[in-house]
Amino acid sequence: MKTYKYRNCLIILVTFITMIKLIQTLLLIFFFLVNNMSMAQGRMNFINGVTKQKSTFIFHHNLIIIPIVVNGMELNFILDTGASKTVIFTLNEKDSLVLNNIQNVELRGMGNGKPIQAILSEQNNIRFGNIMGSNQTIYMVYNEHFDFSSKVGMTIHGIIGYELLKDFVVSIDFNSKILTFKHPEYFNPPKNKKFNELNLTFHHNKPYLDGILIINDSIEVSSKMLIDTGNSDAIWVFENKEKGVVCPEKYFWDYLGEGLSGSIEGKRTKVNKFQFGDFVFKKPTIAFLDSSATSFARVFEDRNGSIGNQIINRFKIILDYPHQKIYLKKNKDFPKDFKYNLTGIEISYFGKTLVQSKSKSEETGFALNKNDNAYNIDFVINYQYVFKPIFGIYKIRKGSSAEEAGLKVNDMLYKINGKYAYEYEIDEINNIFQGFEGDNISLLVERNGLIFSYDIKLKEMF
């Protein structure tokens, strides 16, 4: 009898020990999976013991541009909240970037072209100041026709969004051009009552905001809009009769920009109002996008469109991805009118030319020269030759002032309002083209080695 009891006790003990070992094994598997998931997500972390970072940014062509170090090489990236992936799309022969663990894939983005060939690379290091991320996934596209840098007027190597923003609370101050990254544990919501707190929703790692689109007096549509700092426009929407998103009768077809899959075009017009939270925008410019260029974006059926930087840059914003919140406060640019290109001219960077200019290294002055017992006073100007940008026309809108005047694609801008075109930044030229109705612009352009003169009177298209 005692032997039977001992045997039962032994069986229970062995069973208990086996269960403990099984639980330990399951726990090890669990922690292994969690650790691998954490590594796969490629978290970004502060280094050097900091919990906060302030960094300046370049705001060029209505886009936020920051320096990102990829595997030891510094590149210019657009901070794009509409980007769920980190993508590199411009490298030249001098760039010696090394990407790890590569394989060939296809990428599909905005635009009316086909999917493009790309390289998927894993286990890369990305650094932005005191923010570091290892095991980062990067896509590199190689499409010789995708020349985004020439449209912007400076070298842009890629876009980065969710992977940099997801682990922090990020403040964007457009007036001071400062980004502030904070660790979520050390962030307290702003107490300033001028900040409006709104909820974000995420789909495929992209942030969405609920708003109301008031097209005219009779059409009001609730809209789920992507917050898109990679979009330099104001509002893009997807025309959808079933949802009541219908373009007004007065519009014109316009070139809107470049996507990974080609050019993006749409119907440009204005609507009565657009609002989200307590903020109301009167008569904003809006583009109803060509369906062929947005089939990829329409996969998320709840999405109605995008809010771009012409609206976003009217705020100081705080993006709190970890808690799915956004805080917005008006800045000095909030009341500004919404503008668009009234000339119909789209310009691009076409290269560089040598230009004679006064030397800064040597002063201009007088020289006293003796000649046959007489003295001549010569006025001396020291010159140097420097490279300056060439801007040319790569698109002209049909029915625009530029087309009516006779300007042509590939015309090189020589002078604008009496000033050499190379003395302008590309943003300054675009601002001139976004003038006021009735303004006159004088242009000298070079075509086939000859100079042609044009006067353009700006006019509204709707």
Side-chain angles (χ1 to χ4, degrees):
M1 190 71 178
K2 288 183 179 180
T3 303
Y4 180 77
K5 287 183 178 179
Y6 289 145
R7 186 181 295 169
N8 284 344
C9 290
L10 184 62
I11 292 171
I12 293 170
L13 180 61
V14 170
T15 303
F16 180 73
I17 292 172
T18 302
M19 289 179 66
I20 290 176
K21 288 185 176 180
L22 179 60
I23 291 170
Q24 287 176 332
T25 302
L26 289 172
L27 285 172
L28 284 172
I29 293 172
F30 174 77
F31 285 118
F32 176 78
L33 289 173
V34 168
N35 186 54
N36 275 348
M37 286 175 64
S38 176
M39 289 183 65
Q41 290 170 353
R43 289 182 62 84
M44 304 288 285
N45 297 289
F46 284 117
I47 59 175
N48 300 325
V50 304
T51 59
K52 178 180 177 181
Q53 172 176 299
K54 283 191 174 184
S55 305
T56 58
F57 63 85
I58 296 171
F59 195 58
H60 183 76
H61 208 69
N62 225 12
L63 298 167
I64 300 169
I65 300 167
I66 57 176
I68 298 289
V69 179
V70 179
N71 295 338
M73 182 174 182
E74 185 172 293
L75 303 171
N76 290 332
F77 276 73
I78 294 171
L79 183 61
D80 183 357
T81 54
S84 59
K85 299 177 177 67
T86 302
V87 181
I88 294 174
F89 47 68
T90 301
L91 289 176
N92 57 46
E93 296 176 356
K94 296 180 180 179
D95 297 329
S96 55
L97 177 66
V98 176
L99 294 176
N100 303 319
N101 299 328
I102 63 173
Q103 57 181 298
N104 292 323
V105 295
E106 283 188 343
L107 280 182
R108 185 76 170 92
M110 297 278 276
N112 52 21
K114 298 178 180 179
I116 58 175
Q117 297 298 312
I119 291 173
L120 185 155
S121 172
E122 297 179 322
Q123 297 181 351
N124 298 286
N125 293 321
I126 289 179
R127 181 168 178 171
F128 176 50
N130 284 312
I131 295 172
M132 183 77 179
S134 57
N135 196 29
Q136 295 289 309
T137 298
I138 294 174
Y139 294 80
M140 188 175 78
V141 302
Y142 41 97
N143 183 350
E144 60 182 7
H145 302 295
F146 185 73
D147 187 12
F148 186 75
S149 295
S150 67
K151 310 300 188 297
V152 176
M154 69 176 291
T155 301
I156 304 294
H157 297 99
I159 55 176
I160 190 169
Y162 181 76
E163 292 302 325
L164 180 60
L165 300 170
K166 64 183 171 59
D167 299 312
F168 305 99
V169 178
V170 182
S171 170
I172 307 176
D173 190 331
F174 287 93
N175 289 155
S176 61
K177 310 295 186 295
I178 291 177
L179 290 170
T180 304
F181 287 73
K182 288 185 179 180
H183 194 289
E185 292 182 6
Y186 298 94
F187 170 72
N188 294 313
K191 296 180 180 179
N192 190 329
K193 293 182 179 179
K194 292 183 179 180
F195 273 99
N196 202 191
E197 176 186 326
L198 299 173
N199 293 320
L200 294 176
T201 56
F202 283 81
H203 180 76
H204 287 177
N205 298 333
K206 296 181 181 182
Y208 290 84
L209 192 63
D210 292 327
I212 299 175
L213 183 65
I214 303 170
I215 297 176
N216 53 42
D217 294 335
S218 61
I219 301 178
E220 182 174 311
V221 183
S222 296
S223 304
K224 187 172 288 293
M225 307 291 281
L226 173 68
I227 300 173
D228 191 1
T229 58
N231 180 348
S232 61
D233 219 326
I235 305 170
W236 287 359
V237 294
F238 307 147
E239 195 164 14
N240 189 317
K241 293 182 180 180
E242 294 180 0
K243 294 182 178 181
V245 185
V246 181
C247 182
E249 292 182 1
K250 292 183 178 181
Y251 68 86
F252 62 90
W253 277 99
D254 199 11
Y255 167 80
L256 305 178
E258 292 291 326
L260 286 179
S261 295
S263 297
I264 304 169
E265 295 185 343
K267 301 172 183 177
R268 174 84 68 187
T269 185
K270 287 188 177 183
V271 293
N272 278 9
K273 293 179 184 177
F274 176 66
Q275 65 184 72
F276 53 81
D278 296 334
F279 307 108
V280 178
F281 306 90
K282 297 180 180 179
K283 296 294 182 182
T285 55
I286 189 169
F288 290 76
L289 268 64
D290 176 10
S291 59
S292 64
T294 58
S295 57
F296 172 77
R298 291 173 188 251
V299 172
F300 181 30
E301 294 182 358
D302 291 341
R303 178 182 174 184
N304 298 101
S306 305
I307 304 169
N309 272 341
Q310 276 199 41
I311 282 184
I312 297 171
N313 69 15
R314 296 163 188 256
F315 297 94
K316 178 177 182 180
I317 72 171
I318 301 172
L319 290 168
D320 185 354
Y321 277 33
H323 301 103
Q324 298 190 355
K325 298 282 186 181
I326 184 172
Y327 303 88
L328 303 107
K329 185 179 73 169
K330 296 178 184 179
N331 64 24
K332 63 181 179 63
D333 293 324
F334 188 88
K336 287 186 176 180
D337 292 334
F338 289 90
K339 293 185 176 183
Y340 63 95
N341 187 334
L342 296 180
T343 65
I345 299 171
E346 297 292 340
I347 62 170
S348 178
Y349 175 75
F350 275 47
K352 294 182 178 180
T353 185
L354 269 177
V355 174
Q356 187 185 69
S357 66
K358 291 182 180 180
S359 172
K360 294 182 179 180
S361 59
E362 298 181 32
E363 293 183 357
T364 298
F366 295 92
L368 189 64
N369 298 313
K370 185 176 181 181
N371 183 23
D372 296 332
N373 297 321
Y375 289 93
N376 296 326
I377 299 176
D378 297 328
F379 187 65
V380 178
I381 302 177
N382 293 296
Y383 287 100
Q384 63 179 359
Y385 287 86
V386 295
F387 282 103
K388 293 289 186 178
I390 300 172
F391 300 114
I393 299 174
Y394 75 93
K395 279 185 183 292
I396 294 179
R397 185 194 309 140
K398 291 184 178 180
S400 65
S401 301
E403 185 185 57
E404 292 175 357
L407 287 156
K408 299 181 182 298
V409 172
N410 293 326
D411 283 349
M412 301 295 161
L413 299 183
Y414 185 68
K415 282 188 176 183
I416 305 170
N417 291 337
K419 182 178 176 180
Y420 288 107
Y422 59 73
E423 294 180 351
Y424 291 96
E425 298 289 338
I426 195 168
D427 279 356
E428 292 176 316
I429 298 174
N430 286 324
N431 286 336
I432 292 173
F433 291 172
Q434 293 180 358
F436 297 93
E437 185 170 28
D439 286 353
N440 288 300
I441 298 176
S442 64
L443 292 178
L444 291 182
V445 300
E446 182 180 343
R447 183 188 306 151
N448 298 325
L450 301 175
I451 301 296
F452 296 85
S453 175
Y454 295 94
D455 289 314
I456 298 176
K457 187 171 186 178
L458 301 187
K459 65 175 183 178
E460 294 280 356
M461 297 288 289
F462 43 75

